[in-house]
């Protein structure tokens, strides 16, 4: 098994790197890869993201889930959500349409169950743990099969999945429609308390 996956090789890894399940915990408040895109910059100006169903990620996800594989995530969200978290909320329908199952957990709830400090990772087939190296794009995902680390990731997955809620439910629970439905600077009249 390879020990690292460069940023440029992540999509290829997802084509062949797992047999049954790919599960991710997303803990960061901001993702540079999102923020460097024109779509993200437009989102900050109030333009809804164009969920390109033909993108390589969505196409691969449809292929993988069409073969019966599961691709799942739990995303931690702050109160209030950061711009990047709101962007990810806005793009989630595209991920769901491609076959992913994405759930949400407030960061405060994650902290209450001891998950806040875990850091982003992917867990493949409950056997391979991929931790992110945000400083070195040549070693973006660092892979390990170390039993202790994989066991901890499985425990984190189980707890996070238990407490997280589906996108649709989370979307209804968000205290204000301004949190993510209206991208940049919401119209105050649409955010007034009932």
């Amino acid at each position: 098994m390879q020990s690292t996956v460069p940023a440029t090789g992540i999509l290829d890894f997802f084509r062949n790197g797992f047999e049954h399940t790919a599960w991710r915990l997303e803990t960061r408040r901001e993702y540079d890869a999102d923020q460097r895109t024109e779509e993200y910059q437009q989102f900050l100006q109030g333009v809804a993201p164009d969920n390109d169903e033909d993108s390589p990620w969505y196409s691969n996800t449809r292929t993988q889930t069409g073969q019966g594989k599961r691709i799942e995530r739990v995303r931690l969200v702050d109160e209030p959500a950061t711009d990047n978290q709101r962007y990810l909320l806005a793009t989630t329908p595209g991920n769901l349409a491609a076959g992913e199952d994405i759930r949400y957990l407030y960061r405060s709830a994650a902290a209450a169950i001891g998950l806040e400090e875990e850091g982003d990772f992917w867990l493949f087939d409950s056997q391979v743990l991929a931790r992110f190296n945000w400083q070195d794009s040549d070693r973006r995902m660092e892979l390990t099969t170390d039993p202790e680390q994989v066991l901890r990731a499985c425990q984190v997955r189980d707890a996070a999945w238990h407490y997280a809620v589906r996108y649709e439910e989370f979307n209804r629970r968000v205290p204000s429609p301004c949190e993510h439905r209206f991208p940049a600077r919401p119209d105050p009249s649409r955010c007034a308390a009932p």
Side-chain angles (χ1 to χ4, degrees), residues 17-63:
F18 69 103
E19 293 182 46
H20 309 289
T21 61
W23 189 90
R24 182 169 179 189
L25 179 66
E26 293 185 6
T27 64
R28 294 174 62 95
R29 291 175 171 94
E30 299 177 342
Y31 290 92
D32 191 51
D34 293 334
Q35 294 176 352
R36 285 184 277 137
T37 67
E38 183 178 333
E39 180 181 81
Y40 180 83
Q41 297 308 314
Q42 290 177 346
F43 172 80
L44 295 178
Q45 300 304 313
V47 178
D50 175 28
N51 286 311
D52 178 9
E53 62 185 44
D54 294 324
S55 75
W57 181 263
Y58 291 160
S59 295
N60 184 56
T61 298
R62 276 192 305 278
T63 298

Side-chain angles (χ1 to χ4, degrees), residues 83-101:
D83 285 342
N84 208 146
Q85 291 166 346
R86 291 184 311 103
Y87 171 76
L88 290 172
L89 281 162
T91 61
T92 296
N95 295 82
L96 298 177
E100 286 190 61
D101 187 349

Side-chain angles (χ1 to χ4, degrees), residues 29 77-82 85 105-109 170 175 179:
R29 291 175 171 94
V77 179
D78 291 282
E79 300 173 80
T82 67
Q85 291 166 346
L105 185 63
Y106 280 116
R107 188 173 304 279
S108 58
F170 185 80
E179 292 299 316

Side-chain angles (χ1 to χ4, degrees), residues 99-127:
E100 286 190 61
D101 187 349
I102 301 178
R103 301 184 184 194
Y104 288 86
L105 185 63
Y106 280 116
R107 188 173 304 279
S108 58
I113 57 173
L115 303 181
E116 184 182 18
E117 301 301 321
E118 290 299 325
D120 275 40
F121 67 83
W122 278 102
L123 180 63
F124 301 101
D125 298 327
S126 299
Q127 298 175 357

